Amino acid sequence: MHLPTPVLLIDARWDRATNYLYAFRRHQLTPHLATYKVHHLIGPTAVQPGVDDYIRNNPVRYISGAGHGLYSSFRGYHDQMIWQSGRNLSHLNGIIVHLSSCETGASLGRAMVAAGVTAF
């Protein structure tokens, strides 16, 4: 028996840009995840330490996040920091990470790859 792949969706959903991202993902991404085990952190739940607590306490193979980003950080609800390069990202080891956010590939993505993510 094949168990469904565990997926974590993170949607900041707090301002115009992140609400548009949420609506787009809801219509273009989530219908394709019917055969996966999906956990969704939306709005006020898309913050630390809840994001990392969920990852540490549950199997996750794929993360798809939508929020604001800078070269070295990905931000959630009300622009609160979720991940930043230079911090410990080892709990993401073995996970595929996809972020719909500006600029995060420049530094944060490289830091995640160095920490062992399968793909960024």
Side-chain angles (χ1 to χ4, degrees):
M1 181 171 145
H2 181 315
L3 296 175
T5 301
V7 171
L8 174 61
L9 300 179
I10 303 167
D11 280 283
R13 196 173 183 214
W14 68 275
D15 64 353
R16 180 176 285 179
T18 57
N19 274 306
Y20 282 140
L21 280 168
Y22 173 74
F24 176 82
R25 287 158 52 85
R26 201 176 98 227
H27 292 288
Q28 300 296 324
L29 175 64
T30 54
H32 300 284
L33 298 176
T35 61
Y36 296 85
K37 181 183 176 194
V38 177
H39 185 76
H40 206 160
L41 300 173
I42 306 169
T45 62
V47 295
Q48 285 296 2
V51 172
D52 285 346
D53 286 347
Y54 183 83
I55 294 165
R56 285 185 180 105
N57 294 309
N58 297 277
V60 175
R61 297 295 302 140
Y62 177 77
I63 296 171
S64 178
H68 290 291
L70 299 170
Y71 290 111
S72 63
S73 64
F74 175 67
R75 298 171 179 267
Y77 186 68
H78 278 277
D79 230 15
Q80 294 178 55
M81 183 79 60
I82 293 183
W83 295 306
Q84 184 173 20
S85 58
R87 293 194 177 167
N88 184 359
L89 301 169
S90 63
H91 60 289
L92 301 173
N93 183 42
I95 299 174
I96 297 169
V97 178
H98 172 260
L99 301 178
S100 294
S101 57
C102 294
E103 303 172 342
T104 54
S107 177
L108 179 61
R110 292 172 188 258
M112 288 181 167
V113 169
V117 299
T118 301
F120 180 87

